[in-house]
Amino acid sequence: MKHPYQDIPATLARALQAARRVVVFTGAGVSAESGIATFRDALTGLWSRFDAQALATPEAFRSHPDIVWGWYEWRRAQVLRAQPNAAHRAIARLARHVPELAVVTQNVDDLHERAGSVGVAHLHGSLHAPRCSACDAPHAFADGTPREPEEGRRIDPPACMRCGAPVRPGVVWFGESLPADAWEAAIRAAEQCDLLLSIGTSARVYPAAELPQRALAAGATVAQINPAATPLDARAHHNLRGAAAEIMPRLLASAGFEPPENP
Ligand code: BJW
Ligand code: ZN
């Protein structure tokens, strides 16, 4: 009978067992099996259907706030309907088995938290934390759930309660700086870890894509989990080809952290 973790390299299983500090660095692919679209996958990625410059830049919000706000409300509605998958759950369970686990995500959803991860560093912000475009005051969604917007619907952003300016999505657009606290924590964790797992990211968007490189430069083992090749393949110690929700439970089992699923 095929062991469910026989394709996990023994050297990686041992590295995970021995690691004291682990960084899990995730991208859109970790939420793909929850039904959330990635950005750069050729047929299904958001950027294959939508123009990033017209939606994910400060200039786009200034020119057409209703188009941009409507698009993010459409995406927020999808996230609220989605559930964490086996990869999010395995990452949350991993925290029980390693002395220090840092979860650093580029994702703007809250599926890591809903799976049970705590202290997640959100490098690109959150769909659930809008703020004023002028004074930065946080904005609370009235009822927590968006109107069910259909794709392409224009919705005027709410006005800031403090200064009246339009409220903007709490995400990091192209050309904007990353939140300093999350970025500094992520750099520290990457430079001090024994093992970094880069899961479901195309590793193309900077500065986030520096993190595996910083971990490598500091002597850590780096393993990638992704069905497709990325620019990191040439430098990572391990490239596990496949879906995160399938590989992550097997990776935990391979380190003896949990009984394998469906033996
Ligand atoms: C699976 C799977 C499964 C599928 N299991 N895996 C040259 C030109 C222009 C700009 C630049 C440039 N060089 C550098 C820049 C800067 C720019 C950048 O990096 N651009 C590159 C794209 C070239 N970066 C920035 O602008 C950043 N800020 C910055 O640099 O500030 C400094 C500065 C300040 C002032 C002036 C100038 C500079 C900010 C970047 C913000 C990124 N924002 C977005 C949108 C967030 C909001 C939103 O959600 O709408 O963040 S873009 C998008 O990409 C999103 C993601 O977090 C980010 C990363 O994408 P990710 O997660 O890797 O997704 P994909 O789709 O790319 O990959 C998914 C992967 O999953 C694939 O590999 C699949 O194979 C895999 N997969 N199913 C496991 N089941
Ligand atoms: Zn304001």
Side-chain angles (χ1 to χ4, degrees):
M1 186 191 289
K2 185 178 183 234
H3 278 285
Y5 49 87
Q6 71 182 12
D7 54 347
I8 306 290
T11 46
L12 175 57
R14 280 199 295 275
L16 182 54
Q17 273 170 345
R20 300 201 58 75
R21 292 173 169 174
V22 176
V23 172
V24 166
F25 172 54
T26 65
V30 83
S31 297
E33 283 152 286
S34 296
I36 309 295
T38 63
F39 293 91
R40 294 173 185 78
D41 281 293
L43 298 175
T44 54
L46 288 170
W47 298 157
S48 71
R49 302 173 51 213
F50 299 99
D51 178 359
Q53 288 304 316
L55 292 162
T57 61
E59 297 75 26
F61 185 70
R62 276 196 293 275
S63 319
H64 299 291
D66 54 345
I67 294 179
V68 173
W69 185 260
W71 190 66
Y72 280 96
E73 282 296 88
W74 170 66
R75 287 180 51 204
R76 189 167 72 91
Q78 290 172 350
V79 167
L80 288 174
R81 280 195 298 270
Q83 295 301 325
N85 65 50
H88 299 106
R89 292 194 296 272
I91 292 164
R93 292 197 305 275
L94 188 56
R96 298 186 206 142
H97 299 284
V98 297
E100 276 183 49
L101 180 77
V103 180
V104 177
T105 189
Q106 298 166 86
N107 296 345
V108 295
D109 64 49
D110 60 352
L111 296 179
H112 282 304
E113 285 87 349
R114 282 202 263 146
S117 287
V118 290
V120 179
H122 279 269
L123 298 182
H124 293 161
S126 165
L127 288 172
H128 308 289
R131 63 176 193 275
C132 175
S133 58
C135 76
D136 267 355
H139 171 82
F141 285 113
D143 57 359
T145 54
R147 293 179 269 163
E148 291 285 328
E150 65 270 18
E151 187 182 322
R153 170 138 159 241
R154 294 179 177 220
I155 303 174
D156 285 326
C160 171
M161 299 281 278
R162 193 199 282 170
C163 77
V167 169
R168 58 161 285 174
V171 301
V172 179
W173 286 321
F174 288 110
E176 293 188 314
S177 302
L178 275 52
D181 49 351
W183 178 236
E184 281 156 21
I187 293 178
R188 237 183 353 261
E191 291 183 343
Q192 293 176 355
C193 71
D194 309 305
L195 173 66
L196 181 144
L197 303 173
S198 180
I199 308 172
T201 173
S202 60
R204 289 178 189 281
V205 175
Y206 283 84
E210 277 177 27
L211 292 174
Q213 299 171 17
R214 287 182 183 244
L216 283 164
T221 299
V222 169
Q224 219 181 173
I225 294 150
N226 197 314
T230 82
L232 185 60
D233 280 33
R235 298 193 59 202
H237 297 92
H238 303 281
N239 290 301
L240 306 188
R241 287 271 182 274
E246 211 182 295
I247 291 185
M248 282 309 294
R250 297 216 302 268
L251 180 57
L252 266 67
S254 76
F257 291 160
E258 297 180 350
E261 291 181 351
N262 308 315

